[in-house]
Amino acid sequence: IFKRFIEIKDDLEANKPDGPLDCDHVWETTETAMVDVVTHEAEENYVFMKDVDSMTICNGCGMDIGQWYIDNRDNYETAAEATNALSLLGNMTGCPCLHGATSNSHYLDQVAPIIERKTYAAELPVMKKCTLCGTTKPWSTDNISNRDIWIEHTKEVVVREAWDEELYIDEDSYKYDENGHETFIPAGSLIDTIHHPRYVNNEVDYLENINTGEKIYVTVSSCKHPKFKIDYTIDSHLRCTDCGLRRLSRNELFQ
């Protein structure tokens, strides 16, 4: 009898209500915290790199051929095919080196793809209080509209900005005819006759439960990549100065 009494007592203690039995709890959030909601491994995103020493300016005409490869990556299966197309474009536009020589060092802005790990966090409730009886209880993502259903029926809403931008010569330059005669080309002259949209900010804005329409707005808690510089001590690639993330190489663009 005593053993059974102890078992019943323990069971009642484990399952006792968190407040008065006659209270229809109305919960309000009293404390929130940033909680990691989702993590994306090896995700491709575009970043805006401002004022970088790209080493991709064409010596013959001043065109940023590195940006051309990035903007036209979806049009060719291999880097070799893209290089042949770029050479033909250089011939059409009168570039003396057919967009093939890039030993110049110029500082410019670029939009480029990278592969990174991104963690998205959201401001979620961690403590709630009943407005009727004053009972408090810890809260977690498990309590948001049945978390199991949420995970199975959630869509990610992505912010992706895009714009068309033709490529122009950013400084005075020259092109040459078959006899080697110079023709002056002023800064601002159109050099890329085949341009495509550029994309940036390919990030999740919020998670939405497709059953209830409830939304969780998230923010990126990973590196913001404030500056890219060439790291000659490693592999002479542009890398983020904060986290060391590398811009994709030309061959990697077409993999």
Side-chain angles (χ1 to χ4, degrees), residues 117-160:
R117 180 180 188 269
K118 275 196 172 182
T119 300
Y120 294 92
E123 189 78 18
L124 297 179
V126 293
M127 184 65 69
K128 290 205 171 188
K129 180 179 181 180
C130 176
T131 59
L132 301 179
C133 67
T135 300
T136 60
K137 66 181 300 184
W139 209 257
S140 72
T141 54
D142 293 332
N143 301 110
I144 300 177
S145 300
N146 190 333
R147 188 61 181 173
D148 291 335
I149 296 177
W150 181 278
I151 292 173
E152 293 174 1
H153 302 89
T154 296
K155 66 179 180 180
E156 295 176 355
V157 180
V158 176
V159 176
R160 191 177 191 188

Side-chain angles (χ1 to χ4, degrees), residues 32-212:
T32 62
M34 290 298 292
V35 178
D36 290 344
V37 178
V38 63
T39 297
H40 288 180
E41 300 285 353
E43 178 180 292
E44 178 175 298
N45 284 288
Y46 282 80
V47 292
F48 178 66
M49 302 186 299
K50 184 173 178 58
D51 197 28
V52 295
D53 183 3
S54 67
M55 296 295 289
T56 61
I57 294 295
C58 176
N59 287 340
C61 64
M63 172 182 165
D64 181 2
I65 68 171
Q67 188 68 69
W68 186 91
Y69 276 108
I70 293 168
D71 292 345
N72 291 276
R73 63 184 302 204
D74 294 332
N75 298 320
Y76 307 99
E77 293 186 359
T78 65
E81 288 183 12
T83 299
N84 289 336
L86 183 62
S87 179
L88 292 174
L89 177 62
N91 185 54
M92 291 167 52
T93 56
C95 175
C97 64
L98 303 182
H99 298 332
T102 57
S103 60
N104 286 335
S105 178
H106 294 272
Y107 285 83
L108 46 80
D109 298 341
Q110 279 191 347
V111 175
I114 56 175
I115 301 294
E116 63 180 338
R117 180 180 188 269
K118 275 196 172 182
T119 300
Y120 294 92
E123 189 78 18
L124 297 179
V126 293
M127 184 65 69
K128 290 205 171 188
K129 180 179 181 180
C130 176
T131 59
L132 301 179
C133 67
T135 300
T136 60
K137 66 181 300 184
W139 209 257
S140 72
T141 54
D142 293 332
N143 301 110
I144 300 177
S145 300
N146 190 333
R147 188 61 181 173
D148 291 335
I149 296 177
W150 181 278
I151 292 173
E152 293 174 1
H153 302 89
T154 296
K155 66 179 180 180
E156 295 176 355
V157 180
V158 176
V159 176
R160 191 177 191 188
E161 299 176 1
W163 69 96
D164 282 332
E165 183 175 344
E166 299 171 330
L167 296 183
Y168 295 86
I169 294 176
D170 60 0
E171 61 182 33
D172 292 340
S173 184
Y174 294 88
K175 67 177 181 179
Y176 303 85
D177 59 23
E178 61 275 10
N179 298 316
H181 298 134
E182 292 182 342
T183 301
F184 176 69
I185 307 177
S189 298
L190 177 64
I191 192 65
D192 180 16
T193 58
I194 308 173
H195 65 282
H196 298 274
R198 295 183 185 175
Y199 299 97
V200 73
N201 294 337
N202 190 22
E203 295 181 351
V204 175
D205 185 26
Y206 59 87
L207 306 178
E208 180 179 346
N209 188 312
I210 63 174
N211 290 337
T212 66

